[in-house]
Amino acid sequence: MIHEWKPPLLVHTPHGEGDALLVMDYGLNTNSVWVVRLHGGEPKHYFSPDIRIYGNPMEGRGWDVEIPEGWVK
């Protein structure tokens, strides 16, 4: 299954912030793969545990993401 996010989701990756464009689900035995456009235009692929999805500040949750040690801020 492939899902295109419209509009793209703002996410944080080990390489910094970017826009998640697609998520590909390969089934129960494999992590989903996210296609993310990093700021500056570089596309990268990440497994689900390697990204953080920001909360929506309009729902009162704010930008609640804690950045793991070693990731670019």
Side-chain angles (χ1 to χ4, degrees):
M1 190 258 335
I2 297 175
H3 178 78
E4 180 181 5
W5 298 108
K6 289 185 179 181
L9 296 176
L10 180 59
V11 298
H12 200 95
T13 74
H15 299 106
E17 290 183 337
D19 298 309
L21 305 174
L22 304 169
V23 62
M24 297 177 281
D25 184 12
Y26 295 104
L28 296 173
N29 298 321
T30 306
N31 280 326
S32 296
V33 175
W34 292 68
V35 178
V36 177
R37 178 199 176 273
L38 297 177
H39 294 295
E42 184 178 10
K44 292 264 189 194
H45 296 78
Y46 297 97
F47 288 122
S48 293
D50 296 331
I51 66 165
R52 301 294 182 267
I53 302 171
Y54 286 103
N56 186 342
M58 293 182 70
E59 295 175 354
R61 292 184 296 181
W63 304 113
D64 58 352
V65 172
E66 291 185 26
I67 307 305
E69 188 174 326
W71 285 24
V72 175
K73 292 187 179 185

